[in-house]
Amino acid sequence: MKRALITGITGQDGLYLSELLLSKGYEVYGLIRGQNNPKIDLVKRTVPDVKLLTGDITDLASLIRAFGVAQPDEVYNLGAISFVAYSWENASITADVTGQGVLNVLEATRLYAGDDLAKVRFYQASSSEMFGKVQDVPQRESTLLWPRSPYGVAKVFGHYMTINYRESYGMHASSGILFNHESPRRGPEFVTRKVTQAVARISLGLQDQIALGNLDAKRDWGFAGDYVEAMWLMLQQDEADDYVVATGETHSIRELLDVAFRHVGIDDWADKVFQDPRFFRPAEVDLLIGDPSKAREKLGWTPKVGFEDLVRMMVDNDLAEQKQLAGR
Ligand code: NAP
Ligand code: F7E
């Protein structure tokens, strides 16, 4: 039975990845931070077979202890401050967690492996946010990185550290450059879930309008359940490498609004949406669209859920959730 250690177990991807690995027969360990993490209950309910260990990716000693217990064959470093807008408010903490945290997990992996580097494989959750002011369309593994947020800068550090551990020590360390991926488990601070929750509430008469920022930004949105499969595939390869994981399609926030509102029977959403300066960013990433050819050719990976189905899945989930909350 293979053993995996996942940081960021309480997040969207941590839950999907745990389900995937458990279904493949892995023994899964998840790192939980904080003395009373409110998401512990969610993890215990969703993936009761995951074994929880206390630790924080900014605390190397806690990682060394967690590795000692988990004895992993595979390590998935998903832990991060992941909300781009927040990263301007707390740039230094973002650097510590999303940047330096990667180095800590790499170092804990190296210390755990000792002389036998082949005994463990490492996955880093890199991000399309690293492309920022994009230098190629579509973006691929070779595209020059030009991050536009403290989050993006921190991810670039983690990305190159992962490559550096591969090149310096011969560690099996891979980096998935994942484009935006969403699901009914997406945090409500991200634009897709913010929209689908609000659309559900508006259609149920629980809310009148939604406040948003830039409606013209374009993203390559896929389904998180598909993307965790690519993470696992990367660690099953003989050689570690870097891969873009994306759908190859891009859509604006306006198109997201079109699909979500249309699904509840509202064709014209103009009076339901207003723009609020609070949600504009100091520097925007205007266009993301990935070229997933390498992942398709080398990993045999393709996304299964398309953009419109993804949005409709999220609206349906939020309709059910909001009805239950409203006691209907
Ligand atoms: P998420 O839902 O925001 O989850 C982030 C996870 O990181 C949470 O479990 C959080 O735990 C944990 N975390 C935060 N600070 C930590 C610390 N100091 N030590 C240990 N864990 C910590 O993010 P996600 O969408 O699942 O994304 C997973 C990873 O992929 C992240 O690294 C993200 O940056 C990256 N990524 C995401 C996307 C996307 O579109 N979703 C795209 C590219 C890359 P708490 O419960 O303790 O806060
Ligand atoms: O913003 C615009 C916003 O916060 C998407 C993270 O998972 O993907 C995610 O980062 C776009 C931006 O995601 C609102 O300006 C407009 O252009 O959903 P988001 P993100 O910033 O792309 C990458 C790949 C990651 O790695 C990150 O961890 O939507 N937008 N109005 C808004 N965004 C938000 N959140 N809220 C608004 O009201």
Side-chain angles (χ1 to χ4, degrees):
M1 187 190 269
K2 275 201 195 170
R3 301 160 73 97
L5 174 62
I6 302 175
T7 73
I9 192 85
T10 60
Q12 170 188 256
D13 292 5
L15 293 176
Y16 282 108
L17 181 64
S18 302
E19 286 173 339
L20 178 75
L21 297 181
L22 289 168
S23 76
K24 291 182 183 298
Y26 279 60
E27 190 163 323
V28 179
Y29 290 82
L31 199 76
I32 292 261
R33 73 178 172 126
Q35 66 186 57
N36 186 18
N37 191 318
K39 292 200 192 141
I40 283 186
D41 285 345
L42 171 71
V43 177
K44 286 187 173 161
R45 255 197 333 271
T46 316
V47 278
D49 292 333
V50 169
K51 299 177 173 61
L52 298 178
L53 300 171
T54 303
D56 190 302
I57 62 172
T58 61
D59 179 344
L60 180 59
S62 77
L63 293 173
I64 292 170
R65 279 195 298 274
F67 273 76
V69 177
Q71 299 281 312
D73 302 292
E74 296 176 7
V75 177
Y76 295 87
N77 183 37
L78 310 185
I81 286 178
S82 75
F83 187 34
V84 173
Y86 175 86
S87 76
W88 275 281
E89 311 291 331
N90 287 273
S92 178
I93 295 174
T94 304
D96 288 347
V97 177
T98 305
Q100 174 72 27
V102 183
L103 176 54
N104 290 337
V105 184
L106 281 164
E107 193 53 19
T109 308
R110 190 171 78 93
L111 290 171
Y112 158 73
D115 293 335
D116 183 13
L117 277 171
K119 89 174 190 189
V120 58
R121 297 181 173 194
F122 174 90
Y123 172 84
Q124 166 57 16
S126 286
S127 164
S128 55
E129 186 69 14
M130 301 189 304
F131 295 124
K133 187 173 171 186
V134 299
Q135 301 297 300
D136 286 326
V137 178
Q139 297 83 52
R140 47 185 72 88
E141 292 79 5
S142 57
T143 297
L144 182 75
L145 305 179
W146 194 310
R148 297 266 283 170
S149 61
Y151 169 82
V153 174
K155 280 287 177 189
V156 170
F157 175 82
H159 181 67
Y160 280 124
M161 268 301 165
T162 302
I163 294 171
N164 188 254
Y165 266 60
R166 184 164 78 219
E167 293 181 353
S168 303
Y169 305 115
M171 189 187 279
H172 195 294
S174 291
S175 175
I177 308 173
L178 269 55
F179 281 61
N180 300 55
H181 45 280
E182 321 291 314
S183 73
R185 291 175 179 161
R186 186 58 143 152
E189 64 274 35
F190 299 96
V191 76
T192 51
R193 189 77 196 285
K194 183 172 171 182
V195 165
T196 61
Q197 267 188 352
V199 165
R201 290 177 56 79
I202 289 169
S203 92
L204 295 170
L206 298 168
Q207 181 177 329
D208 296 326
Q209 285 189 310
I210 169 173
L212 292 171
N214 177 12
L215 304 184
D216 298 311
K218 294 179 125 186
R219 291 290 182 273
D220 179 331
W221 279 298
F223 172 51
D226 289 343
Y227 284 36
V228 297
E229 185 107 31
M231 298 176 187
W232 175 77
L233 283 167
M234 283 177 221
L235 297 205
Q236 311 317 306
Q237 306 307 304
D238 290 340
E239 301 290 330
D241 207 341
D242 308 317
Y243 297 88
V244 159
V245 178
T247 69
E249 261 186 41
T250 192
H251 299 277
S252 66
I253 315 298
R254 287 180 199 281
E255 290 171 81
L256 164 68
L257 287 161
D258 283 341
V259 177
F261 273 112
R262 218 183 305 126
H263 192 51
V264 297
I266 299 172
D267 289 330
D268 180 4
W269 45 261
D271 65 342
K272 314 256 183 267
V273 175
F274 66 98
Q275 286 182 286
D276 184 331
R278 279 185 306 142
F279 298 112
F280 284 85
R281 296 178 179 182
E284 179 61 281
V285 172
D286 296 318
L287 166 69
L288 288 176
I289 175 165
D291 174 1
S293 318
K294 181 174 169 184
R296 189 174 54 239
E297 283 153 24
K298 297 212 164 154
L299 303 177
W301 178 86
T302 47
K304 297 184 189 76
V305 180
F307 171 67
E308 297 206 2
D309 284 343
L310 170 65
V311 177
R312 288 192 284 258
M313 175 207 301
M314 292 175 68
V315 173
D316 285 340
N317 168 80
D318 285 326
L319 279 169
E321 221 171 86
Q322 292 299 324
K323 271 187 201 158
Q324 200 182 17
L325 282 172
R328 295 192 189 166

